[in-house]
Amino acid sequence: MDRNEPRKSWVHPSWDLPDCATTPEAYYLRRREFLRVFGLGLAASALLPPGIRAESPGLNDSLHPSYKLDGVKLTPEDLITSYNNFYEWGLAKDQPKELANHGWKTRPWSVEIGGLCVNPRKLDVDELIQLLGPIEHRNYRHRCVEAWSMVMPWDGFALAKLVELAQPTPDAKYVKFTSFLDPANCSGQRSNEFSWPYTEGLTMEEAHNELALIAVGLYGKPLRNQNGAPLRLVVPWKYGFKSAKSLAKIDFVTEQPRTLWNQLAPNEYGFYANVNPNVDHPRWSQKSERVIGASFFAGKQPTLMFNGYEKQVAHLYAGMDLRKNF
Ligand SMILES: Nc1nc2c(c(=O)[nH]1)N[C@H]1C(S)=C(S)[C@@H](COP(=O)(O)O)O[C@H]1N2
Ligand SMILES: [Mo]
């Protein structure tokens, strides 16, 4: 959606938590600078489409008081970029920031779109951004299955646009996401016990949902390596592990894809992995969550059904037993 366009009065995009509710003062300024930062900070910037640049001055126009959400604050950038789950770079939260920035190159980067589609192709990530732009800005809740949460300001484009570009054939029922595989440069892929590469999946219907995002930036800057540069999936109504980082391949398939966590512990990490306060993880409750960066007293809050995105996604699971299909 183009933020320079007037809002349609009857529907406010669910993903668009208003900046007024979520944004520390400084971030307003940074957002306005989005393109300048995006543009100057990166060798690849020359390839960014003019549409991205044109969009940035109008960002504050998107604020609308009637969409104010109480009690939602954007997680500070330094926390979002230093408290990470990215097991390719170690199992501790502070390791990815350190280890993913020791010579691991995330540009140039090629992405392969394949499987059951009319337009399979392999292309550079910046070509893809150019094809799918303009970049949208969305503030999303993020809920890890480990019962902590953040609110993150993403920059990216609807996954549906990429699906459109690929034109899946009618027998495509799922989208499979495959992260990078580079054991020569990635210590974790040499030493730890997972079956790399990291894989995830969505149903075709989920992939078409307006909330499903391919993120290429955070806080108005290109994604940091530790957050899944140069592009990653973001599906905010699902536990964080569904949002695969540093994508190398996106395939349209008939069978439900086997995914890394689901294969490893199927009784703990389901394929759907929708955020649900009523379905506990076998080893801990999902009723509440710890807000990263909040004070000790304000730091716990109730988990929301579908992470607060019930209106936008509940219909996808109508009639489904969410305990069975967890
Ligand atoms: N390739 C890959 N993607 C991944 C992970 C991972 O270990 N490897 N961790 C997942 C988990 S558990 C979470 S909570 C989010 C964390 O994203 P963030 O570090 O940007 O907050 O990424 C998800 N995507
Ligand atoms: Mo997670």
Side-chain angles (χ1 to χ4, degrees), residues 97-173:
K97 179 181 177 171
E98 164 86 25
L99 300 176
N101 289 294
H102 274 296
W104 179 45
K105 293 270 174 286
T106 52
R107 270 188 170 85
W109 184 278
S110 75
V111 186
E112 204 177 336
I113 299 170
L116 305 166
C117 61
V118 176
N119 286 324
R121 58 208 294 178
K122 189 167 185 170
L123 72 181
D124 185 80
V125 64
D126 291 306
E127 264 179 73
L128 185 65
I129 292 173
Q130 200 159 20
L131 281 170
L132 299 175
I135 302 277
E136 299 174 31
H137 312 278
R138 303 182 179 192
N139 298 335
Y140 274 168
R141 294 186 177 85
H142 174 88
R143 173 58 157 78
C144 177
V145 72
E146 298 162 340
W148 53 265
S149 70
M150 297 188 184
V151 180
M152 304 169 73
W154 298 106
D155 310 300
F157 44 79
L159 171 61
K161 283 194 186 174
L162 185 148
V163 173
E164 222 172 90
L165 182 77
Q167 289 186 48
T169 59
D171 43 345
K173 301 291 183 242

Side-chain angles (χ1 to χ4, degrees), residues 259-274:
T259 63
L260 182 135
W261 283 107
N262 185 238
Q263 262 176 280
L264 203 66
N267 59 323
E268 300 196 6
Y269 308 103
F271 176 79
Y272 287 96
N274 293 313

Side-chain angles (χ1 to χ4, degrees), residues 54-110:
E55 198 202 9
S56 117
L59 288 179
N60 289 331
D61 300 347
S62 67
L63 301 183
H64 194 302
S66 66
Y67 303 123
K68 191 165 159 53
L69 288 184
D70 290 326
V72 179
K73 279 217 170 63
L74 211 58
T75 306
E77 186 179 9
D78 62 325
L79 285 176
I80 293 180
T81 56
S82 64
Y83 186 94
N84 300 102
N85 272 339
F86 201 169
Y87 276 21
E88 286 90 331
W89 304 100
L91 309 189
K93 302 282 186 282
D94 58 350
Q95 282 179 312
K97 179 181 177 171
E98 164 86 25
L99 300 176
N101 289 294
H102 274 296
W104 179 45
K105 293 270 174 286
T106 52
R107 270 188 170 85
W109 184 278
S110 75

